[in-house]
Amino acid sequence: MSTSRSSAHRPSRVGPATGRQAGPLDVDALIDDPGTGIIVCCGSGGVGKTTTSAALALRAAERGRRVVVLTIDPARRLAQSMGIEELDNTPRPVVGVEGTGSLDAMMLDMKRTFDEVVLSQASPEKAKQILANPFYIALSSSFAGTQEYMAMEKLGQIHRDAQAQGTYDLIVVDTPPSRSALDFLDAPERLSSFLDGRFVRLLLTPAKGPAKLMTAGFSLITNALTRILGAQFLKDLQTFVTALDTVFGGFRQRAQQTYSLLKADGTAFLVVAAPEADALREAEYFVERLSEDDMPLAGLVVNRASPEPAGELSADEAMTAAERLRRTASASPTASLTAGLLRLHADRVRMVQRERTLRDRFATAHPQVPTVVVPALAGDVHDLGGLRTVGGLLGGTADGSTSPA
Ligand SMILES: Nc1ncnc2c1ncn2[C@@H]1O[C@H](COP(=O)(O)OP(=O)(O)O)[C@@H](O)[C@H]1O
Ligand SMILES: [Mg+2]
């Protein structure tokens, strides 16, 4: 692993503010550094995590790296253009990548990832039993945090394969569209506490046969539950929990391993945010949470910023001119159209100013976090061309070319 990271992109264990401004984030230095092995894009829903992950992955590939991008919920057309419409949980080569590197992409299939873990951990007999159990089916598709945990599980798998077979030298990870900023990092913890939870312990008790008191308590509860839920329900639940006991040891251990992997040098977190008060507040929360967990933060991506309006006219000047036109030439359609355009210009200038103020506020609160601003494109980002353009904006070459400006 390289030790020659330049400070412009070196992920920092963000500590207390030092008073020094970190300045712009050098995305190209980050993705070009052979020491960068994993990039995780996190942030609240809808800010552009999936787009940023895919754009970064494509740019890194076109600059020569062997990249795999693990996406969670790509928009339909984007998935199509990357050849990952099918949820088969296997990375597939993306067609149309230029240059000497390579890009594979996959879309996470949460349920299948869960099944794969069961199959790899339990005996075939036991695995079959678990996979068919109604509780397993419910848990694997809807347990709170399952998606977060499975994303970590898949990252761990791909990382192990990449290490063993030398398939990839950079893994870019998209994160689930969780409401809560904590979900991704909390997944191993949450799974552990679920498994160590009293309910599960109680259900496992007869199988392990400890204290009489517990057993007495258990049969009381069992009887009550049987009355309410029916014998089959309880039997399914007990079979499930007992069977999973063997499997979960492996689960927990690997969740911890992946958690350590995220903390390691060579991993870089990018927090993605929209230039809005709420999104930036959530981004602050992310930055703080990553710091609490001692996770390596590379920087902040402010995505979909309002593009700077052309021309020198300030918002006030535009409004004054519009007002003057309205008063002196109110009858002329051309005049009222011009006044409308002037007001529109004023709105856009003010929007850009508002966004800059919000970014400045963030920078003042977190001066150690390098930032890159990506303007909103005119339309959605749904093909390689669009990803290339976003990649260019991330890397600081506004024309979207792959080589440094
Ligand atoms: N810089 C951008 N300019 C224009 N559209 C964008 C930009 N970034 C993202 N989008 C669009 O915004 C929508 C949400 O982006 P997405 O990456 O799916 O967000 P997330 O993964 O955070 O939920 C998508 O339709 C995407 O094409
Ligand atoms: Mg997404």
Side-chain angles (χ1 to χ4, degrees):
M1 215 149 264
S2 160
T3 49
S4 60
R5 291 164 179 274
S6 85
S7 63
H9 73 279
R10 185 193 300 129
S12 58
R13 316 279 158 166
V14 178
T18 54
R20 211 169 55 89
Q21 288 285 120
L25 172 67
D26 190 342
V27 168
D28 283 343
L30 177 71
I31 59 178
D32 288 348
D33 186 344
T36 308
I38 296 174
I39 298 176
V40 184
C41 297
C42 55
S44 43
V47 292
K49 291 185 297 289
T50 303
T51 307
T52 303
S53 312
L56 273 175
L58 178 64
R59 187 167 179 85
E62 295 195 328
R63 291 168 70 92
R65 301 204 61 186
R66 286 173 305 131
V67 189
V68 60
V69 58
L70 168 53
T71 66
I72 309 280
D73 61 337
R76 183 88 202 279
R77 283 173 74 192
L78 181 65
Q80 256 167 6
S81 72
M82 298 179 80
I84 48 170
E85 281 170 287
E86 261 185 72
L87 264 174
D88 64 357
N89 237 13
T90 312
R92 303 267 170 220
V94 176
V95 178
V97 178
E98 291 160 8
T100 53
S102 65
L103 175 61
D104 284 7
M106 70 160 274
M107 174 161 52
L108 179 78
D109 180 340
M110 183 176 82
K111 172 87 168 68
R112 193 191 287 243
T113 302
F114 214 142
D115 293 354
E116 284 167 2
V117 175
V118 172
L119 286 164
S120 73
Q121 292 297 301
S123 64
E125 178 69 10
K126 203 165 226 177
K128 223 175 112 196
Q129 209 183 5
I130 297 173
L131 296 181
N133 188 290
F135 287 96
Y136 172 77
I137 295 167
L139 174 73
S140 60
S141 39
S142 69
F143 176 57
T146 304
Q147 198 171 28
E148 287 71 23
Y149 173 68
M150 288 306 137
M152 303 239 322
E153 174 64 37
K154 198 70 207 175
L155 167 62
Q157 275 177 20
I158 291 182
H159 181 76
R160 278 192 301 278
D161 291 353
Q163 296 263 319
Q165 296 154 24
T167 35
Y168 308 114
D169 57 30
L170 175 64
I171 306 172
V172 182
V173 190
D174 179 20
T175 51
S178 306
R179 280 297 321 135
S180 158
L182 300 172
D183 286 356
F184 186 64
L185 291 175
D186 281 344
E189 186 62 30
R190 186 118 52 97
L191 189 73
S192 292
S193 65
F194 169 75
L195 297 171
D196 296 333
R198 289 192 58 201
F199 185 58
V200 172
R201 269 211 317 271
L202 209 57
L203 284 164
L204 285 173
T205 301
K208 290 184 170 168
K212 277 209 177 77
L213 246 175
M214 277 292 268
T215 315
F218 181 79
S219 70
L220 243 171
I221 293 170
T222 306
N223 291 341
L225 285 176
T226 310
R227 243 182 291 126
I228 300 164
L229 304 169
Q232 187 58 41
F233 182 95
L234 201 69
K235 195 160 164 284
D236 281 344
L237 184 57
Q238 253 170 289
T239 315
F240 166 66
V241 172
T242 313
L244 273 189
D245 194 35
T246 34
V247 175
F248 270 150
F251 264 164
R252 207 171 343 192
Q253 196 194 347
R254 278 206 317 286
Q256 286 305 334
Q257 272 168 13
T258 310
Y259 188 78
S260 312
L261 182 65
L262 290 176
K263 271 183 140 161
D265 291 340
T267 297
F269 278 85
L270 287 176
V271 174
V272 185
E276 290 149 15
D278 286 352
L280 280 167
R281 242 194 313 276
E282 280 205 54
E284 285 203 43
Y285 186 53
F286 263 89
V287 165
E288 282 154 21
R289 180 61 213 274
L290 288 170
S291 148
E292 261 171 44
D293 280 41
D294 202 24
M295 294 282 170
L297 174 68
L300 172 75
V301 176
V302 179
N303 185 40
R304 299 189 90 163
S306 299
E308 296 272 346
E312 311 266 287
L313 210 58
S314 75
D316 285 350
E317 284 165 346
M319 285 311 279
T320 310
E323 182 58 19
R324 198 174 302 141
L325 267 178
R326 191 186 64 80
R327 263 188 275 126
T328 57
S330 55
S332 149
T334 317
S336 72
L337 179 67
T338 311
L341 288 173
L342 284 165
R343 276 193 289 270
L344 196 66
H345 175 84
D347 283 349
R348 289 179 57 194
V349 171
R350 281 183 185 141
M351 175 73 92
V352 168
Q353 279 164 352
R354 210 160 31 236
E355 289 179 7
R356 192 171 299 137
T357 308
L358 288 170
R359 285 202 320 265
D360 287 347
R361 206 172 289 161
F362 182 95
T364 308
H366 299 279
Q368 72 285 30
V369 180
T371 301
V372 63
V373 180
V374 176
L377 305 189
D380 272 0
V381 183
H382 53 71
D383 56 14
L384 291 195
L387 290 178
R388 214 168 265 137
T389 305
V390 172
L393 292 162
L394 279 162
T397 51
D399 62 349
S401 72
T402 24
S403 52

